[in-house]
Amino acid sequence: MDTLLTFAAAVFSGIAAGCFFYIALGAAFNAKLETADTENKNKFPLLIRIMLPLCGLFRNMVKKNDFTTWKKSSSANLKMAGFAEDEMNCEDYISLRFAFFLLATLIIFIGALSGRMMITLIMAILLAVYPEVWLKAIIKRRHTEIMKALPNVLDLLTLSVESGRDLISSLRDILARRKPDALGEELTRTFHEIQLGRKRVEALRSLADRVRQVDLTATVNAIIQAEELGVSIGKQLRIQSDSQRAKRFSLAEKLANEAAVKIIIPVVIFILPAVFIILLGPLAIQTLRMFN
């Protein structure tokens, strides 16, 4: 009983301390978040939004110290995830990681005081890796969305270019009529860069380097090669469209074949025991009554 009371007191003390830091140190980051619109705020899950105000504790340290390699990798991952600089930059992300490390350390300390080290250690590890897992999940979901949407966009571009229209004007009209998605966001950004005077080849290379999705990179490289060699862009777009559609169909077929194997585990663990209990339970009860 004393151990339980100690554990509860430690947990509530940690919550109180966290609320204090959240209120006292969150003003700076909240001011930054207020400049973003509601759609951008919704990109962050609840736990990330709760921890964002604590980033102010570590931002100065991240700016002063040399985290060059970490900043480069974080910046690349944030770009792949679709975050703009005003939403979350590499310094914000590294500060967020330190904030989660601080929370994980606090939980380990609480576990050491309460004697429940195993469960608090598991919680601390999950919290420490949560920002990285969250960011990688966004990147994977975004790449999948781009892969699914790319063949349809290429079909529309092919029809427009083969009818005699310019690639940029065709892209503008297609983006104006499509629902917003990951591919549309990246193509819109590239289109704006070209409108501001950047060379088309440079803007396309920047698109491939920013997104780093295999199918989009292959398509961009084919368009750049057609630009440099003077080959028909419409022909290259049709080849890429057919290739990407065949690849998407092969992936869907592979996932469908794997579904039968993957479903075996939940069936064996969750469904079969319930079926056996329903079918054999009454028989087992009657058998026990006969022997009693």
Side-chain angles (χ1 to χ4, degrees):
M1 189 64 181
D2 293 338
T3 303
L4 182 60
L5 290 175
T6 304
F7 178 75
V11 169
F12 286 117
S13 298
I15 293 174
C19 292
F20 172 77
F21 283 114
Y22 182 85
I23 295 172
L25 301 173
F29 204 92
N30 284 334
K32 180 179 179 179
L33 284 180
E34 287 175 358
T35 60
D37 55 19
T38 305
E39 182 180 355
N40 292 336
K41 291 180 183 179
N42 292 335
K43 288 185 177 181
F44 301 107
L46 178 62
L47 185 56
I48 297 294
R49 293 202 298 268
I50 291 174
M51 296 299 294
L52 281 177
L54 296 180
C55 294
L57 289 170
F58 307 99
R59 191 171 292 106
N60 291 331
M61 180 190 70
V62 172
K63 289 180 179 179
K64 293 178 181 178
N65 293 344
D66 188 12
F67 295 98
T68 305
T69 304
W70 198 359
K71 286 181 179 179
K72 286 182 179 179
S73 61
S74 299
S75 179
N77 289 333
L78 289 170
K79 288 179 180 178
M80 283 190 285
F83 288 110
E85 287 291 327
D86 59 343
E87 295 172 0
M88 177 176 284
N89 54 39
C90 59
E91 294 177 354
D92 296 332
Y93 177 71
I94 295 174
S95 301
L96 181 67
R97 294 293 304 272
F98 278 120
F100 272 91
F101 287 149
L102 176 63
L103 181 59
T105 304
L106 179 61
I107 290 178
I108 292 175
F109 179 72
I110 293 174
L113 292 178
S114 62
R116 300 177 180 271
M117 196 63 190
M118 182 59 67
I119 186 171
T120 52
L121 184 60
I122 294 174
M123 291 174 60
I125 293 174
L126 292 176
L127 281 172
V129 301
Y130 176 75
E132 184 177 2
V133 173
W134 162 71
L135 188 61
K136 288 184 177 180
I138 292 179
I139 294 172
K140 183 178 180 180
R141 184 172 66 247
R142 192 174 179 85
H143 282 183
T144 303
E145 188 177 349
I146 290 173
M147 180 198 68
K148 292 179 179 179
L150 186 58
N152 296 331
V153 174
L154 289 177
D155 282 341
L156 295 174
L157 276 175
T158 302
L159 292 175
S160 297
V161 172
E162 287 182 346
S163 66
R165 300 193 62 188
D166 180 66
L167 177 65
I168 301 303
S169 60
S170 302
L171 181 62
R172 179 193 59 204
D173 293 340
I174 291 171
L175 292 175
R177 289 172 173 80
R178 292 186 75 250
K179 293 182 179 180
D181 58 359
L183 181 59
E185 290 177 5
E186 298 297 340
L187 292 178
T188 301
R189 182 174 176 179
T190 302
F191 177 71
H192 289 162
E193 289 178 356
I194 296 174
Q195 278 188 321
L196 293 175
R198 192 171 189 180
K199 292 182 179 179
R200 185 159 65 183
V201 173
E202 294 180 357
L204 291 173
R205 283 175 178 159
S206 176
L207 169 65
D209 183 66
R210 182 173 64 250
V211 180
R212 299 186 184 183
Q213 204 276 338
V214 178
D215 301 328
L216 184 60
T217 301
T219 302
V220 168
N221 289 337
I223 295 175
I224 292 175
Q225 187 176 13
E227 287 270 352
E228 294 176 345
L229 298 179
V231 182
S232 171
I233 295 180
K235 184 177 180 180
Q236 288 293 329
L237 289 173
R238 183 169 294 280
I239 292 173
Q240 289 298 317
S241 175
D242 295 338
S243 174
Q244 300 303 333
R245 180 171 286 98
K247 184 177 180 180
R248 187 177 66 174
F249 180 78
S250 299
L251 180 61
E253 194 174 34
K254 177 184 175 184
L255 293 176
N257 294 331
E258 291 176 352
V261 179
K262 292 179 179 178
I263 203 173
I264 292 177
I265 296 177
V267 167
V268 171
I269 296 177
F270 300 107
I271 299 178
L272 286 183
V275 172
F276 285 135
I277 290 173
I278 293 172
L279 295 179
L280 301 179
L283 180 62
I285 292 173
Q286 291 180 4
T287 304
L288 290 175
R289 286 177 179 174
M290 290 176 57
F291 284 105
N292 291 334

